[in-house]
Structures are given as structure tokens and as C-alpha cells.
Amino acid sequence: MSKPILATIAPGLFVLLWSTGFIGSKLGAPYADPFVFLSLRYIAVLPFLLLIAVAARTRWPSNPAAIGHCIVTGMLVHGIYLGGVFWAIDRGMPAGASALMVGLQPVLTALAAGWLLRERIGPRHWAGMGVGSIGLVLILGPKLGLDGSGITLATIGAMAAAVLAMSLGTVYQKRFVPVTDHVPATVWQYVGALVVSLPFTLGESWSIEWSAQFIFAIAWLVLVLSIGAILLLMYLIRAGAVAEVASLFYLVPVATTIESYFLFGERLALIQIAGMGLVVAAILLIRRKPAAVPPADAV
């Protein structure tokens, strides 16, 4: 039986959409402080999701425990992850270094899934993650400035917290929010994100420059990332093993590098192209389904 169209295109579409997050943050970061920027994004997305929920007549979770799990997932996947990334970039962390650290997320997620969900992490997973890590170094290594500008203990700590939160949030979503409808679950996730981001805005200036570029960045991050990509991520987590879904994040820096080449004129070296080849090979290795073993009495 053939796979549904959404199941076929969802992985590639997710990578494409998710990769634009770095582009959107780069466009909008100069015009507002990081947690103010994120809080505006979370607040703006809620009315759209509520309209979708009403139009689709979705079933809202009535169990307080289910709502709580959705909120915790949002605190991890949106609040801490995006907060750490935006804060580090705002403090000068190079985009290449940020993407490199985010690229470590599949390894942590696979380890967490094996430990908490008892998912089997086989040799092909470990081999694929190793090859993918090498590929990421080849892709992003040339972008890292020799002077280490923006790479401090504070920005490294923020990125490490972001990567760990995303990994734990992915596993937590699979373990505790397996059946809640996508849209209501996402609404409660953004409530959780605001629980994290709003307190940090108390230490920031709410002075915002409403430029056309900033408005475009907010609109893109709300409609494409916060709705499109997140709903796809939830779909993928429920449809497949967490370790395999996490492997898709290896492709995000690849897509971001290509997008940066066309949008910002960043040149690609041969070593980066070779790294992309390794990352693609790693994804194919991790996501390849083992061949079915025929029964002993098969002719």
C-alpha cells in the first residue's frame, strides 16, 4: 500500500521550512530585543491557530494532565530552544556556529529516545549520526571566524541549553502527547513558550522599529515556522521513531547554507559541498528501513 502524499513530502517540506528560521531571525533581530521579538511572535500566532481550530472543529484536550504536557513541551521546544538561539545570535554568536551546535541535536535526541522511550538505536543510527556530524563540521567549519567573534561562554551556554531543550522536548512530545489533536496541542505549546519568554522581556526594552523587514520577518516566522513547520514536526514525531525524525535536523544547516548563498551571497567552498553530500548520505542511512526477513518456509 502506497504512503499518503503528506507522509511522503512531509520530511522534505519540514526541512525546507525549518531551515528558514535562521533567515527570519537574521532579518528581524536588529529591530527588537530577542525575547520581545519571540513574545510578539508567540502572541501573533495564537489567533491564527485558534481560527484554524474553530474552522476544523478540533477536539480540545479536557484532561488537565494532557494540557500540562503540551505546555511543558512548548516551554522546551519553543521557549527555551528558540530563546537560547535568538539570545545567542543577538549577542554576536555567528550564524554558522549556531547552526553547528543545533546540528548536534539529533545525537542527543537519539540518546534520549533510547533511554526514555526504549527505542532501539542500531548500528546504522550510530553510523549515520557519526557521518552526519562530520558533514556538519565540513559545511559550517569554513564559516567560523578565526578570531572567534561572538563565541563566549555565555553564548555557548545559551546554545547548549537550546539544543538540550529541543532534544528533550522532542522526546517528551512523543512520550506524553501522543494523541492530542495537532492544533490544540500547538496552541497550548505557545502558551508554554510565553511562560518562558515573557519574564525575560522585563529586562529588555520594548522599543521596536516597525520596519518593512521586521514585519516581513514576524509574518514569515508566524505563518511559515510557528504554524506550518511546527504542525509538520508534530505530525512527523507521531508518525515515526523519534531518532529518525531527529535525523532530519542534520539537513537544516545544509538548507540554510544554500539559502544564505542565494539570499546573502555567501559562497560555498568545495569542502562544504562535500559536507552536504555526507549529510545527505547520513539521512539516507538513518532513515533506511531494514529489509524484511522472509519466513523460513517461504519459497
Side-chain angles (χ1 to χ4, degrees):
M1 184 176 180
S2 60
K3 294 170 63 177
I5 295 178
L6 180 59
T8 301
I9 68 173
L13 184 59
F14 168 76
V15 169
L16 178 62
L17 297 184
W18 194 264
S19 67
T20 63
F22 284 100
I23 304 299
S25 64
K26 184 174 181 178
L27 289 174
Y31 304 103
D33 287 330
F35 287 101
V36 170
F37 188 4
L38 285 174
S39 295
L40 288 174
R41 172 181 172 179
Y42 301 148
I43 292 171
V45 76
L46 287 173
F48 288 99
L49 289 173
L50 290 172
L51 286 174
I52 294 173
V54 171
R57 298 181 179 179
T58 55
R59 184 175 181 180
W60 288 79
S62 57
N63 185 345
I67 295 173
H69 289 317
C70 291
I71 291 175
V72 171
T73 300
M75 294 174 68
L76 293 168
V77 172
H78 305 297
I80 299 176
Y81 167 69
L82 289 177
V85 170
F86 272 59
W87 187 89
I89 291 176
D90 185 71
R91 292 300 188 278
M93 170 73 84
S98 301
L100 177 59
M101 293 193 69
V102 170
L104 299 176
Q105 187 248 329
V107 178
L108 295 179
T109 301
L111 293 175
W115 176 41
L116 298 175
L117 301 181
R118 299 294 188 266
E119 288 188 4
R120 182 178 179 275
I121 309 300
R124 67 186 176 88
H125 291 95
W126 291 112
M129 287 186 285
V131 172
S133 298
I134 294 172
L136 284 174
V137 171
L138 294 180
I139 293 169
L140 300 170
K143 289 187 174 183
L144 302 182
L146 296 178
D147 59 356
S149 175
I151 301 178
T152 65
L153 289 177
T155 56
I156 290 174
M159 287 301 306
V163 172
L164 180 60
M166 186 64 178
S167 300
L168 292 177
T170 302
V171 175
Y172 192 94
Q173 159 81 11
K174 181 74 173 183
R175 173 65 178 83
F176 294 107
V177 196
V179 295
T180 304
D181 190 279
H182 292 325
V183 178
T186 305
V187 169
W188 284 113
Q189 282 186 19
Y190 282 117
V191 172
L194 283 169
V195 169
V196 174
S197 66
L198 282 177
F200 283 100
T201 64
L202 298 177
E204 296 181 341
S205 168
W206 276 82
S207 177
I208 303 167
E209 183 179 343
W210 292 96
S211 66
Q213 184 168 304
F214 179 75
I215 294 173
F216 174 81
I218 284 285
W220 183 269
L221 292 175
V222 166
L223 299 176
V224 177
L225 270 295
S226 295
I227 295 179
I230 290 301
L231 291 178
L232 276 174
L233 177 60
M234 294 179 66
Y235 170 81
L236 288 167
I237 290 174
R238 294 180 187 181
V242 169
E244 293 188 0
V245 173
S247 71
L248 292 173
F249 283 86
Y250 274 129
L251 280 176
V252 171
V254 177
T256 302
T257 300
I258 295 173
E259 292 158 3
S260 298
Y261 170 77
F262 287 105
L263 293 174
F264 305 117
E266 297 182 5
R267 298 181 63 84
L268 297 174
L270 288 177
I271 192 171
Q272 291 176 292
I273 296 175
M276 289 182 188
L278 288 178
V279 169
V280 172
I283 298 299
L284 294 176
L285 180 61
I286 292 174
R287 296 183 64 81
R288 179 179 60 86
K289 301 295 183 183
V293 178
D297 59 351
V299 178

